[in-house]
């Protein structure tokens, strides 16, 4: 059963400067709602009961967003504004499910995952990268179903332009299970076009087993001097762990770049 999700939130958000110079990118509004709330809604709707936020001291603002009870209580007492009451109830609903752990050095996604080791209770857990929004269809829910059927790890994926493979983790597959699902035989973090085994990119939804932690402990730094989850996943695949690439059917929005962030508001407004 997958009941826990982890969300790395300690990234610096440099691609969104100057918006992120004093503000956490995950709190930036997308069509009137902080990006992180879309991710939380996806988790909760997929049956997740505990969500672990990996933040840093610099991203304390994210914790404050969910712990601003005094402000809401005072305002509600004074004004009894139904909109504020509704918003506060929503924040409380989220807060009950969120736990915080810290990653104070930006050492990469792999390092962020390792910080959650002692909190993960079951064999499998979900990870969502907050830059990647998937709208219209709950990708996490579909991946959990797939995991139940095959007892495998799962990564969301989509086909990308061959010239952009160096932006993503790229995988090759050894077997097609059906039109949407593929057994992964190898994965490489942000390859050059000439080294890329395909143009199938990994998108920010992962179902991982807790076996990843012992590999992450020994994981050496990779591209850009960071510890990449992709490199540890590669080791697991080499050690015969079953990983499925799931070509999701929702609409993908990349909120981690400036053009993508601007576009996400326009797209969500149209939904
Ligand atoms: C991360 C992963 C990469 C994956 C991408 C999906 O990269 O390292 O493998 O394809 O997320 O968004 P980042 O966006 O942190 O550079």
């Amino acid at each position: 059963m997958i009941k826990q999700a982890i969300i790395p939130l300690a990234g610096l958000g440099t691609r969104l400067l100057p918006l992120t110079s004093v503000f956490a990118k995950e709190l930036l509004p997308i069509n009137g709602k902080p990006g992180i709330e879309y991710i939380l809604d996806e988790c909760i709707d997929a049956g997740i009961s505990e969500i672990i936020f990996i933040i840093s001291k610099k991203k304390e603002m994210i914790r404050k967003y969910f712990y601003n009870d005094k402000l809401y209580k005072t305002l509600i007492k004074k004004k009894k504004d139904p909109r504020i009451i509704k918003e506060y109830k929503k924040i409380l609903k989220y807060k009950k499910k969120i736990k915080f752990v810290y990653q104070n050095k930006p050492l990469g996604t792999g390092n962020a995952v390792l910080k959650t080791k002692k909190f993960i209770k079951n064999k499998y857990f979900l990870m969502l990268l907050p830059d990647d929004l998937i709208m219209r269809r709950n990708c996490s829910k579909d991946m959990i179903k797939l995991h139940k059927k095959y007892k495998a790890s799962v990564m969301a994926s989509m086909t990308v332009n061959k010239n952009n493979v160096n932006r993503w983790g790229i995988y090759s597959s050894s077997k097609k299970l059906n039109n949407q699902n593929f057994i992964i035989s190898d994965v490489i973090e942000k390859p050059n076009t000439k080294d890329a085994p395909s143009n199938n990119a990994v998108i920010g939804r992962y179902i991982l087993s807790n076996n990843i932690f012992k590999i992450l402990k020994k994981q050496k730094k990779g591209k850009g001097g960071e510890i990449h989850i992709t490199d540890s996943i590669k080791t697991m695949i080499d050690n015969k762990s079953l990983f499925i690439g799931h070509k999701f059917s929702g609409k993908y929005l990349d909120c981690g770049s400036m053009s993508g962030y601007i576009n996400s508001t326009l797209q969500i407004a149209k939904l």
Side-chain angles (χ1 to χ4, degrees), residues 21-207:
S21 76
V22 293
F23 211 76
K25 70 173 170 185
E26 300 80 6
L27 294 178
L28 289 172
I30 299 173
N31 197 37
K33 167 167 147 176
I36 189 68
E37 290 193 12
Y38 292 93
I39 300 279
L40 286 170
D41 291 342
E42 178 178 330
C43 286
I44 294 168
D45 181 52
I48 297 295
S49 53
E50 185 174 85
I51 300 150
I52 301 171
F53 277 15
I54 306 133
I55 62 168
S56 67
K57 284 193 191 117
K58 288 187 186 145
K59 307 282 286 277
E60 242 350 284
M61 180 190 271
I62 295 178
R63 185 204 282 271
K64 285 188 188 148
Y65 180 79
F66 294 95
Y67 278 81
N68 218 346
D69 303 70
K70 217 175 146 194
L71 170 81
Y72 284 105
K73 282 181 181 158
T74 316
L75 281 175
I76 290 168
K77 221 180 189 174
K78 266 198 217 150
K79 288 193 178 169
K80 302 214 166 14
D81 180 337
R83 193 189 74 83
I84 299 179
I85 295 172
K86 194 171 150 224
E87 291 296 334
Y88 183 45
K89 277 192 182 151
K90 195 174 70 174
I91 298 280
L92 285 176
K93 180 187 83 176
Y94 293 143
K95 186 170 82 165
K96 264 201 283 183
K97 298 189 160 56
I98 302 171
K99 256 198 186 141
F100 294 87
V101 300
Y102 283 80
Q103 179 197 23
N104 285 322
K105 290 184 195 144
L107 291 177
T109 310
N111 179 254
V113 175
L114 193 54
K115 301 284 177 195
T116 68
K117 179 175 182 281
K118 58 173 184 284
F119 300 98
I120 296 297
K121 296 174 195 143
N122 299 328
K123 178 138 179 70
Y124 287 91
F125 59 96
L126 172 70
M127 170 163 78
L128 302 94
L129 302 184
D131 283 355
D132 293 340
L133 292 193
I134 301 173
M135 306 306 293
R136 284 208 208 110
R137 198 171 164 96
N138 191 322
C139 177
S140 295
K141 207 185 219 174
D142 288 338
M143 285 171 58
I144 290 172
K145 261 190 223 153
L146 200 63
H147 159 75
K148 273 190 190 150
K149 182 166 176 194
Y150 291 98
K151 307 276 169 283
S153 290
V154 185
M155 298 196 277
S157 90
M158 70 178 188
T159 309
V160 296
N161 188 307
K162 287 202 168 65
N163 302 320
N164 286 339
V165 284
N166 66 355
R167 157 75 186 85
W168 314 95
I170 299 290
Y171 70 87
S172 48
S173 65
S174 56
K175 191 180 166 192
K176 178 175 172 176
L177 295 168
N178 51 48
N179 281 342
Q180 265 188 300
N181 302 306
F182 302 83
I183 292 180
I184 296 178
S185 51
D186 199 9
V187 65
I188 165 167
E189 180 68 7
K190 303 194 172 93
N192 298 322
T193 309
K194 65 170 177 25
D195 301 325
S198 76
N199 57 340
N200 294 321
V202 175
I203 300 301
R205 303 287 182 276
Y206 305 71
I207 291 177

Side-chain angles (χ1 to χ4, degrees), residues 188-247:
I188 165 167
E189 180 68 7
K190 303 194 172 93
N192 298 322
T193 309
K194 65 170 177 25
D195 301 325
S198 76
N199 57 340
N200 294 321
V202 175
I203 300 301
R205 303 287 182 276
Y206 305 71
I207 291 177
L208 298 169
S209 96
N210 58 8
N211 288 334
I212 196 103
F213 293 122
K214 54 178 184 284
I215 295 164
L216 276 172
K217 266 192 196 162
K218 294 188 204 146
Q219 185 61 56
K220 299 217 166 75
K221 288 179 182 172
K223 286 241 155 71
E226 290 187 7
I227 296 169
H228 294 288
I229 193 68
T230 315
D231 294 341
S232 291
I233 290 172
K234 180 185 165 44
T235 306
M236 290 194 72
I237 293 168
D238 290 347
N239 294 343
K240 306 277 174 269
S241 280
L242 183 57
F243 271 77
I244 296 175
H246 169 65
K247 295 230 165 129

